[in-house]
Amino acid sequence: MASSSGNSNSSSSSQLQNSGSEEDLHQQNMMDQRKRKRKESNRESARRSRMRKQQHLDELVAQVAQLSKDNNQILNSINFTTHHYLNIQAENSVLRAQMMKLSQKLDYLNQILSYLNTMSASELVYETDQCFETSTCDHGFTNPFNQPYLNQPIMASPDMFQYY
């Protein structure tokens, strides 16, 4: 009996070993499966991360292109505005010179009118008589002393031309 019980002990221990090694094998398979799942998950996560980085890089490249385009448009606008400003400045200088010339003419005409307004009527008649006698003056409408508006003041001043 002892031998049979010994045999039964050894068969039950071999069954325990078989079941233990099966459990170990099963646990090993489970751990390998978990490792494979974790590796696969890590690979997928790394792939998504690379895709996000690539997408971000593409967005940055597109943004650089758009900003470069905007920068070129701004530079063209600045160049156009500068060119336009220089043309306006040159035209303004010409207009100022013309204004000074016209202002001097106006001052000269005002001096003439002032002189004519201060002269008495007899002096004007004397000068017109001399003009008729020497026949160096034109008569009629071209003679400035025959004009009806001779004593009318000019209603302009040099100040009204100083718009710059």
Side-chain angles (χ1 to χ4, degrees), residues 66-83:
Q66 181 62 39
L67 290 174
S68 294
K69 181 181 173 185
D70 292 347
N71 194 21
N72 285 335
Q73 287 178 345
I74 290 170
L75 287 175
N76 287 338
S77 176
I78 288 171
N79 288 337
F80 175 77
T81 304
T82 302
H83 181 70

Side-chain angles (χ1 to χ4, degrees), residues 1-79:
M1 272 206 155
S3 67
S4 74
S5 75
N7 281 342
S8 76
N9 276 345
S10 51
S11 73
S12 74
S13 72
S14 72
Q15 281 180 348
L16 284 175
Q17 286 178 351
N18 284 343
S19 69
S21 72
E22 284 178 14
E23 284 181 22
D24 288 343
L25 197 60
H26 182 64
Q27 285 179 352
Q28 188 67 29
N29 282 342
M30 292 282 282
M31 287 180 20
D32 287 345
Q33 251 183 345
R34 286 182 192 154
K35 283 182 183 179
R36 272 185 267 137
K37 282 183 182 179
R38 195 175 327 119
K39 282 183 180 180
E40 187 177 322
S41 175
N42 286 346
R43 283 188 194 119
E44 183 63 26
S45 177
R47 186 183 68 78
R48 285 192 310 262
S49 176
R50 286 190 301 272
M51 286 178 58
R52 281 193 306 269
K53 284 181 183 179
Q54 184 63 43
Q55 185 179 10
H56 184 65
L57 181 63
D58 292 344
E59 289 172 0
L60 288 176
V61 167
Q63 187 178 11
V64 165
Q66 181 62 39
L67 290 174
S68 294
K69 181 181 173 185
D70 292 347
N71 194 21
N72 285 335
Q73 287 178 345
I74 290 170
L75 287 175
N76 287 338
S77 176
I78 288 171
N79 288 337

Side-chain angles (χ1 to χ4, degrees), residues 95 99-100 102-103 106 156-164:
L95 290 173
M99 180 192 72
M100 292 300 291
L102 290 173
S103 177
L106 182 63
S157 70
D159 297 333
M160 67 187 283
F161 294 110
Q162 293 183 358
Y163 294 105
Y164 31 53

Side-chain angles (χ1 to χ4, degrees), residues 21 41 68-69 107 109 116 118 128 146 151:
S21 72
S41 175
S68 294
K69 181 181 173 185
D107 286 341
L109 289 173
L116 290 176
T118 58
T128 55
N146 290 335
N151 291 330

Side-chain angles (χ1 to χ4, degrees), residues 85-103 161 163-164:
Y85 170 76
L86 292 174
N87 286 340
I88 296 284
Q89 193 176 25
E91 184 180 348
N92 197 13
S93 295
V94 168
L95 290 173
R96 282 184 184 161
Q98 289 176 349
M99 180 192 72
M100 292 300 291
K101 192 181 228 182
L102 290 173
S103 177
F161 294 110
Y163 294 105
Y164 31 53

